[in-house]
Amino acid sequence: MEKTTNEKVVECENCRQSCPLKSADENASCSRRCTECRAKKGNNLNYGLEEMAYTAEYHNPNPGKIPIMALPLTDNDKYKYVEKEVDDMISCGFNLTLASISMGSDVDKNLLEDLSGKIRILFNNSYIGPYQTSADLKNHINDYISKRKVYQSFAGIYKEDEPPLWRMRCCRHDSMLNCWKLTNDALKTHTEDGMTRINLVGIEAFKSVSEFEEYLDFFGTYFKPAFWSFDCYPVMQHSPLFDLINFVKSHKGIKHGDYWQKHESFYRNMEMISAAAKKYKRPFWFVMLSTSHLCHGEGYYPVQLEQHLRYQAFTALAYGAQGISYWRYLQATDNNWETYFDTPIDREGKRNALWYYVRRVNNEIVKHTDVFLGSTVIKVCHTEVGRLMELSKGILELPSDQEAYYPISNSPDPKKVYDENWGLTNLEPDSIPAFSEITTQENNDLGVVVSYLSKPKVVTTIKTEKSNTTGMHDNCSSTPEQAAASGGIIARPILKDHYIVIVSHDAVKYQNITIKLKGTLKLKELTPLKSGQEVSSETIDCAKTPTIQRHLPPGGYIIFHWEE
């Protein structure tokens, strides 16, 4: 077939023939189907996908705990330090990891037996082909899972990292969507709590907010995941290895000395992913950065200090994240795309200073499990948003010869992203109980995130012929009448825990904040007033204490609690 002007030859995702595609059509639809296949399907880009749609169930791989995941357990199937690494992982506060173990030898099987029961593992099975029929693919997936599900550590399958929309739309038998469906079917057959995971690309890869929304809605409609997962690495640094001018222009960053923060894309990702997860009634997990590396063509990510880690983790938790992943835990082998420097565990299996930073932040996450695990985000507000936007003006232009770091589209135009309202709301009177105003004291302060979370408590009464005992339980399986008749358990959600979580916008410097209170609630502060101190046992009476002040460290947070 003759190639025409403004067309390029690619492989059609449907018939797999080399056919000309008009670039404009491809960009508009993020689909790679030839003209003939589109005509057969009535130009419906989602034709044939409905029968593959699959609703996956969410199972916390560590019930009662926030999943804290180390990525990965091994690098290029090198197992020299693995057993020691797992012990180090557990000491560092991790309860989940990722492994690419081929099961190709007795050594691999012995390794899994040694690890079994120590830590839960997601297995990387992103490679799915080539398979000539759907039956062949189904047999492969069932065989892969059946060999691993016998191990206590098995938690599920990691399927894909940052897939573009055109790949998700393919409806062939070996498509990403069909593979996803077959994997979920196999997990349901072989396990009680196994899950599949896909990590999504962030908004930086799209030309507009509407394109990103299309991407998220497609994933929620057809993949129907057990949970959502995404990454965004907000802290970068100038380096002789990389010219940060292009980064500033493309990511609308704000400068702090030698550091830059991706303020807008970081919070916009949080805002839109958490909203999508809530819309489709699924939790989301966040992947945070824990490795210093040079991403060629993208930028230099410095050693992540303790405040950088805390800033990432607790911002995500404030937005409702139900799981936290760290990329990377083990130092990787350099490749043509990335060069790796500091990680928690180096190539010799030794701990770096970063390992201790990670452990401290993980211990804080675990300490506040009751605050975040299972909580519902009622509202998220920001202070100083207007000034944050003002500081960012004038750095929207992107050089014409530079593309987005993940080329889903061929003509990225970040101005289309930032011209649209990014959906964040300032703290307004009566928007959050007990809090009327939160302000920072310096003109160059960046303000804070303010999140209001809530979850029910359940009081259960155990009735027997001999005694009545009241205690706290999570679930009940019978009605009050049935329980009373059988001497069983009565459960009623009669109380609620409420939390206000304040997280600094600033990962680099301190902020002094003033908090004005209102109403008659009595608050408990769950974060230490000073480093190393125990949590204060004093109650803050809003009626008697109209104003309090706090010294918020870089990336720091404050948590208030009340019960009703």
Side-chain angles (χ1 to χ4, degrees):
M1 192 177 293
E2 184 180 354
K3 182 178 178 182
T4 61
T5 308
N6 297 325
E7 292 185 350
K8 61 180 181 179
V9 175
V10 297
E11 185 182 70
C12 172
E13 67 175 26
N14 193 60
C15 66
R16 297 295 171 92
Q17 301 299 313
S18 294
C19 304
L21 270 174
K22 291 184 178 180
S23 299
D25 290 341
E26 183 184 3
N27 292 337
S29 66
C30 292
S31 178
R32 297 185 179 181
R33 290 180 179 161
C34 68
T35 304
E36 183 178 353
C37 286
R38 289 189 185 187
K40 289 179 181 178
K41 298 178 182 300
N43 209 32
N44 178 4
L45 296 177
N46 298 331
Y47 178 89
L49 299 178
E50 290 81 1
E51 63 268 24
M52 295 185 188
Y54 188 101
T55 302
E57 297 180 5
Y58 181 73
H59 303 280
N60 187 338
N62 292 285
K65 301 178 181 179
I66 296 175
I68 307 178
M69 185 174 183
L71 300 169
L73 168 67
T74 58
D75 178 40
N76 297 335
D77 289 333
K78 296 177 182 177
Y79 307 140
K80 183 177 180 181
Y81 307 107
V82 166
E83 292 182 58
K84 177 181 179 299
E85 281 171 25
V86 170
D87 292 336
D88 281 342
M89 278 184 183
I90 296 169
S91 298
C92 199
F94 292 102
N95 51 39
L96 183 66
T97 188
L98 171 71
S100 298
I101 299 176
S102 61
M103 296 292 293
S105 68
D106 290 337
V107 174
D108 302 341
K109 296 175 183 177
N110 292 338
L111 174 65
L112 281 180
E113 289 173 356
D114 291 340
L115 301 184
S116 189
K118 286 188 174 184
I119 194 168
R120 301 302 302 277
I121 301 173
L122 284 179
F123 287 86
N124 188 359
N125 183 228
S126 57
Y127 178 72
I128 61 170
Y131 295 94
Q132 297 302 315
T133 67
S134 186
D136 292 337
L137 179 59
K138 181 178 180 179
N139 290 336
H140 159 73
I141 292 173
N142 274 278
D143 181 64
Y144 186 94
I145 290 175
S146 64
K147 288 180 178 178
R148 289 156 179 78
K149 57 97 175 179
V150 296
Y151 298 99
Q152 186 179 346
S153 293
F154 182 82
I157 301 294
Y158 185 103
K159 288 305 301 180
E160 195 80 24
D161 185 47
E162 299 187 341
L165 184 55
W166 69 264
R167 282 201 59 210
M168 293 198 293
R169 269 201 169 114
C170 178
C171 63
R172 281 177 58 91
H173 74 273
D174 56 354
S175 68
M176 182 177 163
L177 182 53
N178 194 38
C179 184
W180 170 268
K181 178 183 183 299
L182 293 173
T183 301
N184 279 291
D185 283 338
L187 286 170
K188 194 171 182 178
T189 299
H190 293 292
T191 71
E192 295 181 357
D193 62 350
M195 291 192 301
T196 47
R197 169 180 172 173
I198 290 177
N199 190 57
L200 297 180
V201 65
I203 195 171
E204 300 98 318
F206 295 86
K207 294 189 295 182
S208 67
V209 170
S210 59
E211 277 196 7
F212 190 42
E213 287 176 339
E214 179 189 5
Y215 178 76
L216 297 179
D217 282 334
F218 182 91
F219 188 63
T221 300
Y222 294 100
F223 282 77
K224 300 180 180 181
F227 65 101
W228 299 65
S229 176
F230 78 104
D231 58 66
C232 180
Y233 308 145
V235 180
M236 301 185 74
Q237 190 175 25
H238 179 71
S239 168
L241 300 172
F242 181 76
D243 181 4
L244 261 176
I245 294 176
N246 284 340
F247 159 73
V248 175
K249 289 180 177 179
S250 61
H251 290 91
K252 201 173 185 181
I254 292 181
K255 190 175 187 300
H256 295 291
D258 290 334
Y259 292 98
W260 293 84
Q261 288 182 226
K262 296 181 184 178
H263 275 277
E264 175 129 358
S265 59
F266 182 55
Y267 292 116
R268 195 196 286 260
N269 272 319
M270 288 289 176
E271 193 82 8
M272 296 184 68
I273 294 281
S274 62
K278 189 172 184 179
K279 175 180 177 180
Y280 292 98
K281 297 181 171 61
R282 289 292 187 268
F284 80 91
W285 292 11
F286 176 63
V287 182
M288 54 189 280
L289 182 66
S290 59
T291 180
S292 170
H293 67 287
L294 175 66
C295 184
H296 305 288
E298 164 64 5
Y300 174 67
Y301 294 88
V303 174
Q304 298 296 291
L305 303 178
E306 186 174 334
Q307 59 262 34
H308 302 154
L309 300 172
R310 188 174 289 111
Y311 167 69
Q312 296 177 76
F314 279 87
T315 298
L317 291 168
Y319 266 97
Q322 294 296 291
I324 298 293
S325 302
Y326 287 76
W327 187 86
R328 298 182 51 105
Y329 176 77
L330 174 68
Q331 187 177 8
T333 303
D334 298 339
N335 54 53
N336 293 332
W337 178 243
E338 291 174 329
T339 302
Y340 301 95
F341 305 111
D342 284 49
T343 47
I345 298 293
D346 67 18
R347 293 191 182 103
E348 298 301 317
K350 297 178 181 178
R351 301 174 181 178
N352 283 323
L354 185 55
W355 187 93
Y356 297 91
Y357 301 156
V358 170
R359 182 172 66 173
R360 280 197 285 270
V361 172
N362 283 347
N363 286 342
E364 292 176 28
I365 295 172
V366 172
K367 177 182 177 181
H368 296 300
T369 297
D370 289 342
V371 176
F372 298 108
L373 186 63
S375 289
T376 298
V377 176
I378 307 300
K379 187 177 182 65
V380 177
C381 300
H382 291 247
T383 70
E384 305 298 319
V385 170
R387 190 146 53 81
L388 180 63
M389 296 289 285
E390 184 71 23
L391 286 172
S392 301
K393 285 184 177 179
I395 50 177
L396 299 178
E397 297 297 328
L398 184 69
S400 59
D401 60 346
Q402 181 177 330
E403 293 188 353
Y405 84 95
Y406 194 95
I408 287 180
S409 58
N410 292 328
S411 304
D413 184 358
K415 288 187 288 186
K416 290 184 180 179
V417 174
Y418 302 126
D419 285 345
E420 299 181 49
N421 184 359
W422 56 320
L424 303 178
T425 53
N426 286 307
L427 185 65
E428 300 171 352
D430 301 322
S431 63
I432 292 182
F435 291 74
S436 62
E437 185 176 289
I438 301 175
T439 57
T440 51
Q441 297 178 0
E442 301 294 333
N443 289 333
N444 61 346
D445 283 341
L446 295 180
V448 297
V449 180
V450 185
S451 178
Y452 173 26
L453 303 96
S454 179
K455 67 178 177 181
K457 281 185 175 180
V458 177
V459 174
T460 62
T461 304
I462 304 173
K463 292 189 173 183
T464 66
E465 294 181 358
K466 295 182 179 180
S467 63
N468 294 338
T469 305
T470 300
M472 301 302 296
H473 294 266
D474 291 331
N475 300 293
C476 61
S477 57
S478 59
T479 65
E481 293 76 15
Q482 292 170 333
S486 62
I489 299 175
I490 299 176
R492 296 186 181 91
I494 63 173
L495 296 174
K496 276 191 175 182
D497 280 316
H498 299 271
Y499 303 96
I500 300 296
V501 181
I502 299 172
V503 186
S504 178
H505 278 157
D506 201 319
V508 178
K509 64 182 183 63
Y510 282 83
Q511 296 187 100
N512 292 312
I513 64 173
T514 299
I515 303 172
K516 293 184 179 180
L517 303 174
K518 64 183 180 183
T520 59
L521 289 175
K522 294 177 172 58
L523 309 178
K524 285 280 190 179
E525 190 168 348
L526 302 185
T527 43
L529 298 181
K530 293 182 180 179
S531 179
Q533 282 190 344
E534 294 297 321
V535 174
S536 173
S537 60
E538 297 180 5
T539 299
I540 301 173
D541 189 333
C542 294
K544 298 179 180 178
T545 311
T547 302
I548 59 177
Q549 293 184 333
R550 293 292 180 264
H551 193 47
L552 196 59
Y557 59 93
I558 308 170
I559 302 174
F560 296 95
H561 167 253
W562 74 92
E563 180 185 276
E564 67 176 13

